Amino acid sequence: MGRIIGIDLGTTNSCVAVIEGNEPIVLPNAEGARTTPSVVAITENRERLVGQQAKRQAIINPERTISGVKRLIGRKFDSAEVDEIKGLLPYRITDAANGDCLITINGQDYSPQEISAFVLQKMKSTAEDYFGEPVTEAVITVPAYFDDAMRQATKDAGRIAGLDVKRIINEPTAAALAYGSNAKANACIAVFDLGGGTFDVSILRLRSGVYEVIATCGDNALGGDDFDRAILRRLVAVFEERTGINIAADKMALQRLREASEAAKCELSSLNETNINLPFLAVDETGPRHLTYTLTRVELNELTTALVDRLELPCETAFGDAGVRPDEIDDVLLVGGMSRMPSVQERVARIFGRRPNKSINPDEAIAEGAAIQGGIVGGEVSEVVLLDVTPLTLGIRVAGGMMSSIITRNSPIPTQRKKVFQTTEDDQEFVTIEVLQGESRVASENRLLGNFTLAELPPAPAGANRIEVTFQIDRDGIVHVNALDVGSRRSQSIVISGQRGLTEDEIKRAQGQQGR
C-alpha cells in the first residue's frame, strides 16, 4: 500500500494533507498556498483552470466558472435546495436524464462529480509534486449529514480523478482526530463545522485513543455561500434603489457583486464596517453607474439573523440524540471558515454555554484528520480507534405509504440490522423494496435511495410469505440491502447506487477526459 493522502473537498476551498513521522502535515499547492479554491473554469478555447487561476478570471468569464459545486453533488435538479440557488448561479445547470444536475459549458455537459474530480485531481497533483512520485490512494471527507447519494457521488468523483478512495470520513469526525493529540484523556467534545455550503455538529466521546461519535446532525443547505447571497441581494437592491437599474440578469456584474460580498463578509470578522466600491457596474443613458456602499457589522448581522438562527435546531437535536446536556460538553471545536464570523461564535457560546475552543486551524483541521485516518488505514498510525455513526434513518416503504425504519439515525457504523415483513395480498408474486433515507414516517417525504424487486414468490395467502430485509452500512456509510423470502430462501440484494448520478460507463468516460 502506497501513501494515502487526506483530502478535504470543500465547498469554498479544498486542502490536502499526509502523515509524515506520525504527524499530519498540510501540503502547499503549486502556487505556495495551503488551501486551494474549489473553483473550476473552462475558457473559451476549452482550457481548464483549477483553483486560484480559475477564481482570478471569474469576473470576465462568469458563465464558464464553476464554484460551489458541492451544493449540487448527489442532488436532484428539482430538489428544493437546488431550486433555491438556480437563479443565483452564474453558470447554467440543467437536468440529466435521471433527474440529477448537469453543468453546461461551451455546449458540453459536466456532472458535479466531474467538476469535483477536477479539484480532486489538483489535490492529487499537489501531493505528487511534493513527493515526486505517483499518489493513487486517498481518504476524502464529506459533511456528516451527507446522505447516501452524496457519499456515492463523492466516491465517484474520486474514481474519476484517478484515486482509490480507501475511506469516506465525516468532516467533524476528521476535525476531532486532528484535535485529539491535544485532548484530555477522557472528554466529551462537540465539533461545530460551518463551512462554505454545509453545516454539521457532532458530539464525540474521547477515551484513551478511542474516538466515538455518539450523535451528529446538520443542515446540508446552510453555509458561507448563503451569507454571501444575503449581502449580494442587499447590494442588488441598493443599486436598483439608487439608479433604477436591475442588474440581476447581468452575470458579469453579479460576479463582481458576489466577490465583493464575500470579501466584505470576511473583512467584517475583524472590522466594524467596510467600504464596497464597484465602479462602472452598469451603464444607462446618463453614462456609467457606480456602486459605493458602507456595510457595517450590525447590518450584516441583521441580514443574516435567520441564517444564524438555523444553527440552533441541529445542535439541540444532537444534544437530545446523544443524551447529554450542553454543560456536559468539555470542549467545542470550531471548524470551517464561517466559524470565524463573530455572530456565529456568539451564537455558539449561547448554545453551548461556553466559549468555543479555537486551538485548531478551521481551514486545515479536516484535511489533517483525513490524513490521520489514512494513516490508520495504512498502518502508520496505531492506538487510535474511530467509531462513527450514520446521520440519517434508513428504512423501506410499507403499506399505507409509510416508512418502516430499520437502522435509526446515529447508529454506530459499520452495522447490520434485519427486519421481517409479510406480503399484503393473496398469491402475491413479487415485492418491490424501496429504500428510503430520512426522518419522516411518511415515505414520500424521505429520500428514495434505490429500489429492487424480489420476484417468483410461491403462491400463498396474504401474510403467509415472510420477507426478511437486511440493511448493512459499511465504514464509508454506503448502504447494502438484501431481501430474503424466508420460505423459499430466494434472495435479491443491491448496493445502493442505482440512484446515483453516474453509471459505470459514464465514470469510465469521465476518467478518460480527466487528462485532456
Side-chain angles (χ1 to χ4, degrees):
M1 185 176 291
R3 296 180 186 274
I4 303 177
I5 58 176
I7 299 176
D8 171 12
L9 179 61
T11 304
T12 307
N13 293 293
S14 294
C15 186
V16 58
V18 72
I19 289 292
E20 286 264 280
N22 294 324
E23 293 293 330
I25 60 168
V26 173
L27 306 182
N29 60 25
E31 296 77 35
R34 292 165 67 88
T35 61
T36 300
S38 301
V39 183
V40 174
I42 310 294
T43 66
E44 194 169 356
N45 61 4
R46 299 186 182 277
E47 180 186 4
R48 186 196 308 153
L49 306 174
V50 180
Q52 194 60 47
Q53 283 184 316
K55 190 173 183 179
R56 275 198 298 265
Q57 54 82 73
I59 289 176
I60 61 172
N61 186 31
E63 293 180 310
R64 300 186 189 93
T65 303
I66 307 101
S67 60
V69 75
K70 191 172 177 179
R71 275 283 182 92
L72 304 177
I73 197 165
R75 291 193 191 277
K76 296 299 182 184
F77 179 78
D78 61 359
S79 67
E81 295 84 358
V82 174
D83 278 340
E84 186 179 347
I85 63 175
K86 280 175 188 172
L88 298 171
L89 297 174
Y91 49 89
R92 180 179 170 227
I93 61 171
T94 57
D95 55 332
N98 67 351
D100 283 359
C101 297
L102 287 176
I103 298 154
T104 303
I105 301 174
N106 293 337
Q108 182 172 343
D109 291 333
Y110 298 86
S111 68
Q113 292 92 314
E114 290 174 276
I115 299 298
S116 298
F118 296 148
V119 178
L120 289 172
Q121 195 175 54
K122 172 78 171 177
M123 300 295 95
K124 180 176 183 287
S125 297
T126 293
E128 289 175 339
D129 289 345
Y130 182 85
F131 293 117
E133 62 186 31
V135 172
T136 60
E137 298 174 324
V139 169
I140 302 177
T141 63
V142 295
Y145 223 52
F146 255 24
D147 66 22
D148 188 80
M150 298 168 186
R151 292 170 189 269
Q152 287 279 10
T154 302
K155 260 197 144 175
D156 289 345
R159 289 182 60 196
I160 294 168
L163 291 167
D164 176 8
V165 182
K166 309 305 289 187
R167 288 283 190 279
I168 294 288
I169 180 175
N170 292 336
E171 291 168 1
T173 308
L177 285 174
Y179 161 83
S181 59
N182 300 317
K184 301 174 185 176
N186 295 288
C188 181
I189 68 169
V191 180
F192 183 97
D193 180 3
L194 183 59
T198 58
F199 167 58
D200 289 314
V201 58
S202 292
I203 298 175
L204 302 91
R205 292 196 189 279
L206 277 56
R207 296 190 185 92
S208 304
V210 177
Y211 294 70
E212 180 185 10
V213 181
I214 51 177
T216 192
C217 196
D219 187 336
N220 281 337
L222 176 62
D225 287 354
D226 301 288
F227 288 76
D228 296 346
R229 291 184 188 109
I231 302 171
L232 172 65
R233 292 188 183 97
R234 177 61 179 150
L235 296 180
V236 169
V238 167
F239 191 71
E240 185 170 11
E241 288 169 8
R242 294 179 180 178
T243 66
I245 301 172
N246 183 347
I247 56 173
D250 185 336
K251 293 189 180 294
M252 189 175 293
L254 275 183
Q255 185 60 32
R256 293 180 66 192
L257 286 170
R258 190 175 290 107
E259 293 190 3
S261 299
E262 182 184 5
K265 176 194 70 179
C266 294
E267 289 172 7
L268 289 175
S269 289
S270 56
L271 302 173
N272 289 320
E273 64 177 42
T274 184
N275 293 317
I276 298 171
N277 296 298
L278 295 170
F280 303 99
L281 196 59
V283 177
D284 62 11
E285 63 276 3
T286 66
R289 306 302 296 267
H290 319 297
L291 175 64
T292 301
Y293 189 72
T294 298
L295 182 67
T296 66
R297 184 184 291 181
V298 171
E299 183 180 8
L300 173 62
N301 291 345
E302 291 171 351
L303 291 172
T304 58
T305 296
L307 298 174
V308 175
D309 287 345
R310 285 168 58 185
L311 299 171
E312 297 206 10
L313 181 58
C315 294
E316 293 169 359
T317 301
F319 290 145
D321 289 348
V324 300
R325 301 186 310 271
D327 61 7
E328 294 177 298
I329 303 292
D330 296 306
D331 240 340
V332 182
L333 309 184
L334 294 183
V335 183
M338 278 305 302
S339 67
R340 292 187 173 92
M341 188 170 176
S343 64
V344 170
Q345 294 185 3
E346 290 166 9
R347 188 62 61 95
V348 170
R350 192 170 90 186
I351 294 170
F352 290 89
R354 61 181 301 135
R355 304 302 298 179
N357 182 321
K358 302 178 186 179
S359 64
I360 61 175
N361 186 318
D363 300 318
E364 300 177 359
I366 291 173
E368 290 177 351
I372 293 171
Q373 176 64 33
I376 295 170
V377 174
E380 298 169 89
V381 176
S382 58
E383 299 180 359
V384 173
V385 178
L386 177 60
L387 305 174
D388 216 332
V389 298
T390 182
L392 296 162
T393 297
L394 291 157
I396 65 171
R397 180 189 290 269
V398 294
M402 306 302 284
M403 170 169 143
S404 177
S405 300
I406 295 179
I407 297 180
T408 57
R409 72 170 187 254
N410 289 318
S411 295
I413 60 172
T415 188
Q416 178 176 292
R417 303 281 171 82
K418 298 181 179 181
K419 204 167 188 178
V420 176
F421 300 87
Q422 296 174 325
T423 52
T424 57
E425 300 175 8
D426 291 339
D427 298 326
Q428 188 170 332
E429 296 179 355
F430 65 89
V431 292
T432 298
I433 307 295
E434 291 188 11
V435 182
L436 305 171
Q437 189 170 41
E439 304 309 319
S440 176
R441 294 186 62 193
V442 179
S444 60
E445 295 177 358
N446 295 309
R447 178 76 177 262
L448 174 65
L449 296 183
N451 57 69
F452 63 98
T453 298
L454 177 62
E456 299 182 23
L457 300 179
N465 283 333
R466 300 167 67 237
I467 311 300
E468 181 184 80
V469 178
T470 303
F471 273 48
Q472 181 181 355
I473 306 179
D474 64 22
R475 294 183 183 276
D476 294 327
I478 306 300
V479 182
H480 308 252
V481 183
N482 177 269
L484 171 73
D485 175 17
V486 175
S488 68
R489 307 307 292 175
R490 180 180 297 278
S491 67
Q492 180 69 39
S493 62
I494 60 168
V495 176
I496 297 299
S497 57
Q499 298 295 309
R500 73 183 181 188
L502 301 180
T503 65
E504 196 65 27
D505 287 343
E506 288 170 331
I507 291 173
K508 290 178 180 177
R509 177 190 58 78
Q511 287 172 331
Q513 292 182 340
Q514 278 290 299
R516 297 182 185 177

